[in-house]
Amino acid sequence: MKPILIVDDEAAIAELIRRTLAGAGYDCVAVTDGAAAADLLEREAFDLVLLDIMMPGVDGYDLLRWLRPGGMPVVFITAKGTTADKVKGLHMGADDYIVKPFDPAELVARVESVLRRAGRGALALHAWDVTVDTAACEVRRGGAPVALTPREYELLLILLRNRGHVLYRSYLYEAVWGDEDAAETTRTLDTHIQRLRRKLGWADKIRTVHGVGYALRGEEKGE
């Protein structure tokens, strides 16, 4: 798997994107101007470019025009959020268009979707004896396959990508089921958490934070 290149003239945003994707297991390189990105792309190979539009000198549109003949997947991440801006970016050949400010979990999901469509960046996620092959959507525990429902699988991915962080019940329900209001009236989420604990042998790994939500324990030395 090759790295992801992040191009944004705001260093703080570039670092936020880098840390978000690094937390999901992706290797990233960040630069803060289009000319530096073009120089880097001449020398090194990448699986994907995440590209701001409004940059001094070589802007995002210029860099996209330069990249498209080579077939490099490109995602715009920009504050230009009107429908006309989105249509222009997609018509120019961007594979996706994300408007700032963005939700970190959505960023990871959309990056993964673009990589999957482009046939690049197969990624395996690991925790204890569990491995998730996101390209094949397969889960193994100690080398043996684990049968998960689609919702259990999506819930597992979110927990793995946010390992060590407490996730609100409403966020988890909305992310997996797309209906935040129902989180207050159903035990569906709790049932799915219980099934994951049982199927993965994670009775002590998925932590309940009473009144808040759930968290997958962070990795400790020796694990």
Side-chain angles (χ1 to χ4, degrees):
M1 179 178 175
K2 301 179 183 66
I4 293 171
L5 178 61
I6 302 161
V7 189
D8 197 307
D9 65 329
E10 295 187 56
I13 293 179
E15 176 61 12
L16 172 62
I17 295 170
R18 188 199 67 77
R19 292 182 64 178
T20 297
L21 294 177
Y26 291 99
D27 183 21
C28 302
V29 176
V31 295
T32 55
D33 68 82
D39 290 341
L40 195 58
L41 286 159
E42 289 279 5
R43 303 192 309 268
E44 300 183 28
F46 296 90
D47 273 334
L48 174 67
V49 177
L50 302 181
L51 186 57
D52 188 20
I53 292 177
M54 297 182 291
M55 296 185 293
V58 180
D59 67 16
Y61 293 136
D62 294 332
L63 197 55
L64 178 61
R65 292 187 189 97
W66 182 75
L67 285 169
R68 290 318 296 170
M72 171 67 69
V74 173
V75 174
F76 274 138
I77 302 183
T78 175
K80 293 173 68 68
T82 69
T83 299
D85 291 325
K86 296 176 185 178
V87 169
K88 178 180 179 179
L90 294 171
H91 277 174
M92 287 183 65
D95 295 271
D96 203 348
Y97 196 106
I98 301 173
V99 178
K100 302 173 185 174
F102 54 83
D103 180 272
E106 180 183 0
L107 170 65
V108 173
R110 293 174 75 166
V111 162
E112 186 174 274
S113 178
V114 171
L115 289 171
R116 187 166 54 247
R117 292 199 306 267
R120 301 180 180 222
L123 178 66
L125 301 174
H126 306 276
W128 300 285
D129 62 342
V130 173
T131 299
V132 180
D133 182 341
T134 62
C137 296
E138 292 180 347
V139 180
R140 290 184 174 273
R141 177 188 176 195
V146 178
L148 299 182
T149 67
R151 294 268 170 81
E152 289 168 353
Y153 177 78
E154 290 299 322
L155 186 57
L156 173 59
L157 289 184
I158 293 172
L159 290 168
L160 285 169
R161 288 169 178 156
N162 294 278
R163 190 173 177 184
H165 298 283
V166 177
L167 301 174
Y168 284 94
R169 289 174 53 85
S170 57
Y171 169 78
L172 288 169
Y173 202 97
E174 183 180 18
V176 177
W177 285 269
D179 187 353
E180 185 175 357
D181 293 337
E184 303 300 324
T185 59
T186 181
R187 293 188 59 83
T188 299
L189 174 61
D190 302 323
T191 300
H192 280 69
I193 290 289
Q194 291 168 8
R195 289 174 180 168
L196 281 179
R197 284 171 169 156
R198 183 177 67 253
K199 291 181 179 182
L200 302 176
W202 281 3
D204 62 340
K205 304 292 194 288
I206 302 177
R207 185 165 59 95
T208 300
V209 182
H210 293 289
V212 180
Y214 295 98
L216 182 63
R217 277 179 44 205
E219 186 171 359
E220 300 175 1
K221 290 184 179 180
E223 291 188 327

PDB file of all heavy atoms in Angstrom, residues 26-44:
ATOM      1  N   TYR A  26      -3.750   4.533   7.887  1.00  0.00           N
ATOM      2  CA  TYR A  26      -3.189   4.953   6.609  1.00  0.00           C
ATOM      3  C   TYR A  26      -1.888   5.729   6.804  1.00  0.00           C
ATOM      4  O   TYR A  26      -1.776   6.574   7.694  1.00  0.00           O
ATOM      5  CB  TYR A  26      -4.189   5.828   5.849  1.00  0.00           C
ATOM      6  CG  TYR A  26      -5.403   5.080   5.356  1.00  0.00           C
ATOM      7  CD1 TYR A  26      -6.602   5.123   6.069  1.00  0.00           C
ATOM      8  CD2 TYR A  26      -5.355   4.331   4.191  1.00  0.00           C
ATOM      9  CE1 TYR A  26      -7.721   4.432   5.625  1.00  0.00           C
ATOM     10  CE2 TYR A  26      -6.471   3.635   3.742  1.00  0.00           C
ATOM     11  CZ  TYR A  26      -7.646   3.691   4.460  1.00  0.00           C
ATOM     12  OH  TYR A  26      -8.749   3.003   4.019  1.00  0.00           O
ATOM     13  N   ASP A  27      -0.924   5.472   5.930  1.00  0.00           N
ATOM     14  CA  ASP A  27       0.325   6.227   5.891  1.00  0.00           C
ATOM     15  C   ASP A  27       0.096   7.466   5.040  1.00  0.00           C
ATOM     16  O   ASP A  27      -0.416   7.363   3.919  1.00  0.00           O
ATOM     17  CB  ASP A  27       1.431   5.360   5.291  1.00  0.00           C
ATOM     18  CG  ASP A  27       2.777   6.055   5.296  1.00  0.00           C
ATOM     19  OD1 ASP A  27       2.965   6.993   6.085  1.00  0.00           O
ATOM     20  OD2 ASP A  27       3.648   5.667   4.485  1.00  0.00           O
ATOM     21  N   CYS A  28       0.429   8.633   5.553  1.00  0.00           N
ATOM     22  CA  CYS A  28       0.134   9.892   4.863  1.00  0.00           C
ATOM     23  C   CYS A  28       1.356  10.794   4.819  1.00  0.00           C
ATOM     24  O   CYS A  28       2.203  10.775   5.713  1.00  0.00           O
ATOM     25  CB  CYS A  28      -0.993  10.648   5.557  1.00  0.00           C
ATOM     26  SG  CYS A  28      -2.545   9.747   5.684  1.00  0.00           S
ATOM     27  N   VAL A  29       1.413  11.613   3.774  1.00  0.00           N
ATOM     28  CA  VAL A  29       2.413  12.672   3.643  1.00  0.00           C
ATOM     29  C   VAL A  29       1.649  13.961   3.389  1.00  0.00           C
ATOM     30  O   VAL A  29       0.736  13.995   2.556  1.00  0.00           O
ATOM     31  CB  VAL A  29       3.378  12.391   2.479  1.00  0.00           C
ATOM     32  CG1 VAL A  29       4.344  13.551   2.285  1.00  0.00           C
ATOM     33  CG2 VAL A  29       4.141  11.085   2.709  1.00  0.00           C
ATOM     34  N   ALA A  30       2.004  15.039   4.095  1.00  0.00           N
ATOM     35  CA  ALA A  30       1.294  16.312   3.948  1.00  0.00           C
ATOM     36  C   ALA A  30       2.242  17.401   3.463  1.00  0.00           C
ATOM     37  O   ALA A  30       3.375  17.515   3.948  1.00  0.00           O
ATOM     38  CB  ALA A  30       0.664  16.727   5.273  1.00  0.00           C
ATOM     39  N   VAL A  31       1.778  18.192   2.488  1.00  0.00           N
ATOM     40  CA  VAL A  31       2.511  19.369   2.027  1.00  0.00           C
ATOM     41  C   VAL A  31       1.532  20.542   1.996  1.00  0.00           C
ATOM     42  O   VAL A  31       0.317  20.352   1.974  1.00  0.00           O
ATOM     43  CB  VAL A  31       3.141  19.165   0.634  1.00  0.00           C
ATOM     44  CG1 VAL A  31       4.205  18.082   0.683  1.00  0.00           C
ATOM     45  CG2 VAL A  31       2.077  18.815  -0.397  1.00  0.00           C
ATOM     46  N   THR A  32       2.079  21.770   1.966  1.00  0.00           N
ATOM     47  CA  THR A  32       1.223  22.948   2.116  1.00  0.00           C
ATOM     48  C   THR A  32       1.153  23.836   0.879  1.00  0.00           C
ATOM     49  O   THR A  32       0.672  24.964   0.969  1.00  0.00           O
ATOM     50  CB  THR A  32       1.687  23.789   3.317  1.00  0.00           C
ATOM     51  OG1 THR A  32       3.083  24.109   3.170  1.00  0.00           O
ATOM     52  CG2 THR A  32       1.470  23.036   4.623  1.00  0.00           C
ATOM     53  N   ASP A  33       1.610  23.347  -0.273  1.00  0.00           N
ATOM     54  CA  ASP A  33       1.380  24.117  -1.505  1.00  0.00           C
ATOM     55  C   ASP A  33       1.414  23.187  -2.713  1.00  0.00           C
ATOM     56  O   ASP A  33       2.022  22.102  -2.680  1.00  0.00           O
ATOM     57  CB  ASP A  33       2.382  25.256  -1.664  1.00  0.00           C
ATOM     58  CG  ASP A  33       3.795  24.780  -1.906  1.00  0.00           C
ATOM     59  OD1 ASP A  33       4.120  24.461  -3.068  1.00  0.00           O
ATOM     60  OD2 ASP A  33       4.576  24.736  -0.941  1.00  0.00           O
ATOM     61  N   GLY A  34       0.752  23.627  -3.791  1.00  0.00           N
ATOM     62  CA  GLY A  34       0.600  22.794  -4.968  1.00  0.00           C
ATOM     63  C   GLY A  34       1.899  22.500  -5.683  1.00  0.00           C
ATOM     64  O   GLY A  34       2.093  21.395  -6.209  1.00  0.00           O
ATOM     65  N   ALA A  35       2.807  23.470  -5.715  1.00  0.00           N
ATOM     66  CA  ALA A  35       4.083  23.263  -6.397  1.00  0.00           C
ATOM     67  C   ALA A  35       4.893  22.169  -5.702  1.00  0.00           C
ATOM     68  O   ALA A  35       5.485  21.294  -6.365  1.00  0.00           O
ATOM     69  CB  ALA A  35       4.871  24.566  -6.451  1.00  0.00           C
ATOM     70  N   ALA A  36       4.922  22.197  -4.372  1.00  0.00           N
ATOM     71  CA  ALA A  36       5.639  21.155  -3.626  1.00  0.00           C
ATOM     72  C   ALA A  36       5.007  19.791  -3.868  1.00  0.00           C
ATOM     73  O   ALA A  36       5.697  18.768  -3.960  1.00  0.00           O
ATOM     74  CB  ALA A  36       5.646  21.491  -2.142  1.00  0.00           C
ATOM     75  N   ALA A  37       3.660  19.772  -3.962  1.00  0.00           N
ATOM     76  CA  ALA A  37       2.968  18.508  -4.228  1.00  0.00           C
ATOM     77  C   ALA A  37       3.352  17.960  -5.604  1.00  0.00           C
ATOM     78  O   ALA A  37       3.604  16.752  -5.749  1.00  0.00           O
ATOM     79  CB  ALA A  37       1.456  18.721  -4.149  1.00  0.00           C
ATOM     80  N   ALA A  38       3.402  18.835  -6.619  1.00  0.00           N
ATOM     81  CA  ALA A  38       3.772  18.391  -7.965  1.00  0.00           C
ATOM     82  C   ALA A  38       5.184  17.826  -7.979  1.00  0.00           C
ATOM     83  O   ALA A  38       5.453  16.790  -8.605  1.00  0.00           O
ATOM     84  CB  ALA A  38       3.645  19.554  -8.946  1.00  0.00           C
ATOM     85  N   ASP A  39       6.107  18.492  -7.289  1.00  0.00           N
ATOM     86  CA  ASP A  39       7.481  17.990  -7.214  1.00  0.00           C
ATOM     87  C   ASP A  39       7.532  16.618  -6.554  1.00  0.00           C
ATOM     88  O   ASP A  39       8.246  15.715  -7.011  1.00  0.00           O
ATOM     89  CB  ASP A  39       8.351  18.971  -6.426  1.00  0.00           C
ATOM     90  CG  ASP A  39       8.596  20.276  -7.169  1.00  0.00           C
ATOM     91  OD1 ASP A  39       8.410  20.294  -8.405  1.00  0.00           O
ATOM     92  OD2 ASP A  39       8.977  21.264  -6.518  1.00  0.00           O
ATOM     93  N   LEU A  40       6.761  16.453  -5.479  1.00  0.00           N
ATOM     94  CA  LEU A  40       6.756  15.183  -4.754  1.00  0.00           C
ATOM     95  C   LEU A  40       6.163  14.073  -5.614  1.00  0.00           C
ATOM     96  O   LEU A  40       6.654  12.937  -5.623  1.00  0.00           O
ATOM     97  CB  LEU A  40       5.963  15.354  -3.459  1.00  0.00           C
ATOM     98  CG  LEU A  40       6.112  14.273  -2.381  1.00  0.00           C
ATOM     99  CD1 LEU A  40       7.570  14.121  -1.968  1.00  0.00           C
ATOM    100  CD2 LEU A  40       5.261  14.624  -1.172  1.00  0.00           C
ATOM    101  N   LEU A  41       5.105  14.390  -6.342  1.00  0.00           N
ATOM    102  CA  LEU A  41       4.457  13.390  -7.201  1.00  0.00           C
ATOM    103  C   LEU A  41       5.344  12.957  -8.360  1.00  0.00           C
ATOM    104  O   LEU A  41       5.179  11.862  -8.896  1.00  0.00           O
ATOM    105  CB  LEU A  41       3.133  13.953  -7.729  1.00  0.00           C
ATOM    106  CG  LEU A  41       1.997  14.015  -6.699  1.00  0.00           C
ATOM    107  CD1 LEU A  41       0.933  15.019  -7.118  1.00  0.00           C
ATOM    108  CD2 LEU A  41       1.377  12.632  -6.512  1.00  0.00           C
ATOM    109  N   GLU A  42       6.289  13.804  -8.748  1.00  0.00           N
ATOM    110  CA  GLU A  42       7.246  13.429  -9.792  1.00  0.00           C
ATOM    111  C   GLU A  42       8.229  12.379  -9.295  1.00  0.00           C
ATOM    112  O   GLU A  42       8.738  11.567 -10.071  1.00  0.00           O
ATOM    113  CB  GLU A  42       8.026  14.667 -10.264  1.00  0.00           C
ATOM    114  CG  GLU A  42       7.217  15.651 -11.077  1.00  0.00           C
ATOM    115  CD  GLU A  42       7.089  15.225 -12.527  1.00  0.00           C
ATOM    116  OE1 GLU A  42       7.546  14.117 -12.873  1.00  0.00           O
ATOM    117  OE2 GLU A  42       6.516  15.994 -13.311  1.00  0.00           O
ATOM    118  N   ARG A  43       8.494  12.378  -7.973  1.00  0.00           N
ATOM    119  CA  ARG A  43       9.529  11.520  -7.407  1.00  0.00           C
ATOM    120  C   ARG A  43       8.983  10.271  -6.719  1.00  0.00           C
ATOM    121  O   ARG A  43       9.680   9.262  -6.637  1.00  0.00           O
ATOM    122  CB  ARG A  43      10.356  12.301  -6.381  1.00  0.00           C
ATOM    123  CG  ARG A  43      11.002  13.560  -6.915  1.00  0.00           C
ATOM    124  CD  ARG A  43      12.024  14.101  -5.926  1.00  0.00           C
ATOM    125  NE  ARG A  43      11.494  14.234  -4.578  1.00  0.00           N
ATOM    126  CZ  ARG A  43      10.933  15.343  -4.099  1.00  0.00           C
ATOM    127  NH1 ARG A  43      10.801  16.394  -4.889  1.00  0.00           N
ATOM    128  NH2 ARG A  43      10.502  15.397  -2.854  1.00  0.00           N
ATOM    129  N   GLU A  44       7.751  10.344  -6.172  1.00  0.00           N
ATOM    130  CA  GLU A  44       7.232   9.256  -5.342  1.00  0.00           C
ATOM    131  C   GLU A  44       5.847   8.820  -5.815  1.00  0.00           C
ATOM    132  O   GLU A  44       5.142   9.580  -6.485  1.00  0.00           O
ATOM    133  CB  GLU A  44       7.174   9.705  -3.876  1.00  0.00           C
ATOM    134  CG  GLU A  44       8.522  10.098  -3.304  1.00  0.00           C
ATOM    135  CD  GLU A  44       8.438  10.473  -1.841  1.00  0.00           C
ATOM    136  OE1 GLU A  44       7.539   9.947  -1.150  1.00  0.00           O
ATOM    137  OE2 GLU A  44       9.262  11.290  -1.389  1.00  0.00           O
TER     138      GLU A  44
END
